[in-house]
Amino acid sequence: MNDTQQKYIGWFLIILLFASYITINNIVFLKINQQKSDDNIKVLTENIDELKMVLEVNQSRTEKRIFDLKRSQHTQCEQGDNNSRCKNLVKLLLLVVKMKNSLLREAKFDNHINSIKPLISELDDLEIENAMNELENLKEINTLRELKLSFEKTINTIYYNKSTLSKKIISNWIKVDDRNDPLRIKFAEIEESINDNDWQSIATIIGDLAHPEFKPWLNKLNVFIAASKNISTIYHHLLQYIS
């Protein structure tokens, strides 16, 4: 073996050791983040359970109000009031509640717009009709769950594009979701504001999402907010007919 071959082998070994060093460091870094993620997932799970309890309480209250509505309207109908109007009002409120719940809790939006429109026309309520028209004009309404999945994909795309070649290679085998990541924290804040109907806070939070990759997601979020606002408008106006 001549000197040139020895030099090539030497440089090859140096490069190999350097690459191994980078790979090991990345793996250690990812493992540490994985441990942090496990701890944060536990906290996140507890927060999700708490959120579910809040939603279930609100759901129970809504169901109670609908039950009271059914009972009161049934009494009125038996007393000779407009039987058809009574039944349609109950049906209408139930359909709106289904849409509202699907937007926050289901995998897909439970669209009942075509069933609701004829019932709304009987009420002759301009506020409800305007809200329904705006809701009908919205395209591809995503649920909160769909928004979360889309947000995760956007984050992964951003970080993949910014990562080094070695990290890109490793990411094909190891996936780590760092819950302390600033962007993921922002989505948690957005999610909390959505459940509080705090649209002003959402506008402030998304102002920091400057990456161009977020533009399609922000469009989906704006459609979601518009749908949520209009469904809430219809819902709260319908509750006025209970009293």
Side-chain angles (χ1 to χ4, degrees), residues 9-24:
I9 292 174
W11 278 111
F12 174 76
L13 291 174
I14 291 172
I15 293 172
L16 182 61
L17 287 172
F18 183 70
S20 300
Y21 172 77
I22 293 176
T23 302
I24 292 171

Side-chain angles (χ1 to χ4, degrees), residues 154-178:
T154 303
I155 289 177
N156 291 336
T157 299
I158 291 172
Y159 288 151
Y160 183 83
N161 292 337
K162 291 171 61 177
S163 62
T164 61
L165 178 60
S166 59
K167 287 185 178 180
K168 286 180 180 179
I169 294 173
I170 293 173
S171 67
N172 292 327
W173 288 279
I174 302 175
K175 297 291 184 183
V176 177
D177 292 338
D178 182 7

